[in-house]
Amino acid sequence: MTLFKKRKYIFTKRLDQLFSDLYSTVRFILLFLKDGFSRPFHFKSILHQCYEIGIKSLPLITLTGFIVGMVFTKQARPSLEDFGATSWLPSLMGIATIKALGPLVTALICAGKIGSGIGAELGSMKVTEQIEAMEVSSTDPFKYLVVTRIWATTVSITILVFYCSFLMLLGSYFNVHTEESSSMLTYFQNAFSTITFLDIFALIFKSVLYGFTIGIVGCYKGYHARQGTVGVGRAANQAVVTSMFLIFIEEVLVVQVAHWIRYF
Amino acid sequence: MEKLQKHFINRDEPVISIRGLHKSFEQLDVLQGIDFTLYKGENVAILGKSGTGKSVLIKIIAGLLKPDKGEVFALGKQVDKLKRKELSDLRLRIGFSFQNSALYDGMNIYQNLAFPLVMNSKNMTRREITIAVERVAEAVGLKDKLSQMPSDLSGGQRKRIGIARTLILKPEIMLYDEPTAGLDPITSTEIIELINSVQRRYNTSSIIITHDLTCAKNTSDRAAMLHDGKFIKVGTFDELFGTNEEPLKEFYDYNFIH
Ligand SMILES: Nc1ncnc2c1ncn2[C@@H]1O[C@H](COP(=O)(O)OP(=O)(O)OP(=O)(O)O)[C@@H](O)[C@H]1O
Ligand SMILES: [Mg+2]
């Protein structure tokens, strides 16, 4: 093969791979939409996953949220002081948290912690034939393993976004209070003074979307792991990278759409 | 250890029949025209070198892989044509013991054994499930391990739990994928006895995949030799190894000289 032909061969092969990946991803999502809303629901398993995913991420989210809020406020203060505008700090933090940082920080942490966990867990079940074992004992592994996890990530991460946003504002309040000793009620009133219904709606929409993305990417990568233990590592890694990438794209899209709606 | 008790084989009642089965993966042609029948009450050993597609064959029978061409019937149903629900019902009647046991390593042994029942028998009480689990654990001689995790067990013990997990649904057909591979002779003997006692107790028909002629001889009524994607010979052991045909002789010599 000449170099050109070889390049062309590799290129067409890549393209082929890309399309078959895309096809199986779409099928995966459609299958979730079909199976996610039909019996049996495996509620016990969903609750268990919510515990594994949600409750066990609380310490990390608490710490990160509080520190990001506090540090952000501390760093923003000098610049605002130059204009004598420190009284705007709460509303600046409100905007920053609700419109961008809250969902984004939570989603990125969860992509790292939860996405990789799901990818590795399902990946190892796949390569050791545990998923097939489930199938031959007449349990639908897609329903039992995938659907429950996607529901659990969607619900837990939505709640975690609210929790993380609250902690960011709390961290910020901590800084404001030490500098200006204002009351918590005034702080929160100021923080939410410019937040509209659309912002809250976008926050909820983003949270659900990110939770769903992390769940579906982690499950997809794990469920399609191949080639033994190496494949498990790769599944975990790709779950994180792919979901982070998608989250950024979704962020841009949602912000753009919200912008259009606002000025419609 | 020999198959002492001859059981009744009903030659009029096939439980698995395969006709003209082909299966390939990308460029690799694994199965190239398999014809095979398993009768009620019969045990058949499938022999063959590593990588000839033995596991692929039984995975097709259990509906885990789709055939490219050909027909596969199990208990009167055409496996590859079934709907999800029908396939799931059929699988309750077929036990599958995996080559590497495939125990759920997130669950302890009790939960592993109970899993098929919890998922499929919604109207069983917890007490009934416990009784059933203890009964199969007893049958494989591992009743004292119920609270341990799969990673705490030895390879042979994992195999036995894997078999017990499929027995709990009282299957009519058992598919064993290399039940004795990688085990010492004494543990192999225990597994062979387990397979025979399963057959006596539950009156199953079985396919036993193995490289191990001792295991094949002591568990099976017939044997089939898979070579280059086809069964080159199916019959009793004397019919298979009484000849000097090349792949068969090589296989035989390897087993008993090394
Ligand atoms: N899902 C798959 N995708 C691609 N190739 C596969 C797949 N499953 C099996 N193969 C290939 O099919 C061939 C037969 O595999 P199989 O596992 O059936 O062998 P085997 O006879 O069971 O061998 P062993 O005795 O080592 O278990 C192998 O070459 C394997 O690489
Ligand atoms: Mg095999």
Side-chain angles (χ1 to χ4, degrees):
Chain A
M1 251 193 277
T2 63
L3 195 60
F4 176 71
K5 264 195 177 161
K6 196 165 173 182
R7 285 251 171 89
K8 193 172 161 209
Y9 173 72
I10 291 174
F11 181 72
T12 46
K13 206 172 162 191
R14 283 260 170 85
L15 212 64
D16 216 46
Q17 184 69 40
L18 185 74
F19 277 112
S20 70
D21 271 353
L22 215 62
Y23 171 74
S24 55
T25 313
V26 170
R27 254 187 43 168
F28 201 76
I29 295 173
L30 290 180
L31 196 56
F32 171 76
L33 294 179
K34 181 163 157 275
D35 278 3
F37 299 91
S38 62
R39 286 150 108 32
F41 287 110
H42 299 303
F43 280 119
K44 233 167 115 184
S45 179
I46 294 180
L47 276 184
H48 175 73
Q49 288 303 323
C50 283
Y51 173 78
E52 289 288 321
I53 290 166
I55 308 283
K56 287 197 173 169
S57 306
L58 277 181
L60 187 62
I61 296 278
T62 308
L63 192 72
T64 324
F66 192 82
I67 286 178
V68 167
M70 196 173 73
V71 170
F72 193 93
T73 312
K74 205 177 172 69
Q75 303 282 24
R77 182 176 291 280
S79 314
L80 290 182
E81 253 166 8
D82 291 346
F83 302 101
T86 46
S87 60
W88 286 1
L89 257 179
S91 95
L92 173 70
M93 267 315 287
I95 292 172
T97 305
I98 304 295
K99 291 197 184 178
L101 287 181
L104 209 52
V105 167
T106 315
L108 293 181
I109 292 174
C110 290
K113 186 175 183 303
I114 298 168
S116 64
I118 292 179
E121 192 188 8
L122 292 193
S124 71
M125 291 189 78
K126 170 78 183 184
V127 302
T128 56
E129 296 179 314
Q130 290 174 51
I131 290 183
E132 287 177 318
M134 233 169 236
E135 226 170 302
V136 293
S137 61
S138 290
T139 303
D140 185 348
F142 191 85
K143 274 206 141 159
Y144 185 74
L145 297 172
V146 174
V147 169
T148 53
R149 277 171 178 73
I150 293 176
W151 276 124
T153 50
T154 309
V155 172
S156 318
I157 290 175
T158 305
I159 296 170
L160 284 178
V161 166
F162 279 85
Y163 177 73
C164 183
S165 306
F166 173 73
L167 272 158
M168 278 185 188
L169 291 174
L170 205 64
S172 166
Y173 169 72
F174 182 75
N175 181 271
V176 170
H177 183 74
T178 46
E179 301 276 335
E180 298 161 17
S181 68
S182 63
S183 86
M184 194 183 261
L185 187 66
T186 332
Y187 173 83
F188 274 94
Q189 270 169 356
N190 288 338
F192 282 97
S193 59
T194 57
I195 301 297
T196 60
F197 174 74
L198 182 68
D199 295 326
I200 299 292
F201 182 77
L203 176 77
I204 297 173
F205 183 76
K206 277 198 244 179
S207 320
V208 172
L209 188 64
Y210 296 164
F212 180 74
T213 304
I214 290 168
I216 208 134
V217 172
C219 289
Y220 177 82
K221 292 292 178 190
Y223 209 71
H224 291 92
R226 270 188 306 180
Q227 298 163 350
T229 40
V230 184
V232 178
R234 198 164 34 211
N237 185 301
Q238 285 184 350
V240 178
V241 175
T242 312
S243 51
M244 282 189 178
F245 179 72
L246 289 177
I247 284 167
F248 282 119
I249 293 181
E250 287 165 2
E251 171 80 23
V252 172
L253 289 179
V254 172
V255 167
Q256 193 59 47
V257 170
H259 191 79
W260 283 333
I261 295 176
R262 196 184 308 270
Y263 298 106
F264 185 63
Chain B
M1 188 168 84
E2 279 286 326
K3 269 190 85 87
L4 294 173
Q5 196 180 340
K6 274 290 165 204
H7 42 268
F8 180 66
I9 300 172
N10 187 352
R11 299 257 169 220
D12 297 326
E13 193 184 343
V15 287
I16 292 177
S17 65
I18 300 174
R19 283 197 294 271
L21 173 64
H22 286 255
K23 176 77 187 172
S24 46
F25 295 104
E26 281 147 34
Q27 277 86 7
L28 185 72
D29 294 327
V30 181
L31 301 177
Q32 310 168 25
I34 299 278
D35 296 289
F36 175 73
T37 310
L38 178 76
Y39 295 100
K40 176 100 187 119
E42 184 186 38
N43 281 4
V44 173
I46 294 183
L47 308 168
K49 279 199 297 206
S50 183
T52 45
K54 304 184 296 293
S55 300
V56 169
L57 176 63
I58 60 166
K59 280 185 182 174
I60 291 176
I61 294 173
L64 290 170
L65 293 171
K66 286 242 175 274
D68 296 339
K69 218 165 87 187
E71 296 173 326
V72 179
F73 288 89
L75 298 166
K77 310 253 167 57
Q78 188 168 359
V79 179
D80 55 309
K81 292 280 184 332
L82 293 179
K83 299 216 178 61
R84 237 159 128 190
K85 177 76 179 70
E86 296 168 322
L87 184 59
S88 157
D89 289 342
L90 177 65
R91 279 170 172 164
L92 291 175
R93 303 166 66 193
I94 302 179
F96 193 120
S97 142
F98 283 82
Q99 192 162 354
N100 60 14
S101 314
L103 301 184
Y104 308 127
D105 32 51
M107 307 180 192
N108 68 20
I109 299 302
Y110 177 88
Q111 289 163 330
N112 261 282
L113 294 178
F115 186 83
L117 284 183
V118 174
M119 286 296 148
N120 294 301
S121 315
K122 297 286 180 216
N123 47 12
M124 270 178 98
T125 64
R126 184 172 290 192
R127 171 118 194 87
E128 287 167 335
I129 291 177
T130 306
I131 291 171
V133 167
E134 282 174 354
R135 190 175 306 138
V136 286
E138 181 111 62
V140 298
L142 289 171
K143 205 178 157 191
D144 53 332
K145 303 281 185 202
L146 286 178
S147 59
Q148 294 192 352
M149 296 303 282
S151 54
D152 302 335
L153 264 54
S154 73
Q157 290 169 336
R158 291 166 63 96
K159 278 261 160 66
R160 283 193 268 166
I161 294 295
I163 293 172
R165 189 178 60 185
T166 65
L167 289 180
I168 203 158
L169 290 173
K170 303 204 173 73
E172 293 157 49
I173 300 176
M174 279 294 297
L175 307 171
Y176 297 95
D177 198 346
E178 309 207 5
T180 61
L183 301 179
D184 63 89
I186 297 173
T187 317
S188 293
T189 310
E190 284 170 15
I191 300 269
I192 290 168
E193 272 164 11
L194 175 62
I195 294 174
N196 287 332
S197 79
V198 165
Q199 186 183 30
R200 281 196 297 273
R201 198 189 284 211
Y202 298 95
N203 190 28
T204 53
S205 328
S206 324
I207 292 182
I208 299 146
I209 289 181
T210 183
H211 303 284
D212 175 6
L213 270 185
T214 318
C215 167
K217 264 196 159 138
N218 291 309
T219 53
S220 308
D221 310 293
R222 281 192 301 154
M225 179 82 184
L226 188 62
H227 187 79
D228 284 341
K230 287 203 172 91
F231 281 140
I232 51 168
K233 195 139 195 171
V234 185
T236 62
F237 285 88
D238 295 337
E239 283 166 8
L240 245 74
F241 297 109
T243 64
N244 267 340
E245 288 171 47
E246 214 10 80
L248 290 164
K249 194 168 173 326
E250 188 188 1
F251 194 84
Y252 188 84
D253 289 348
Y254 184 86
N255 254 275
F256 287 108
I257 292 170
H258 286 259

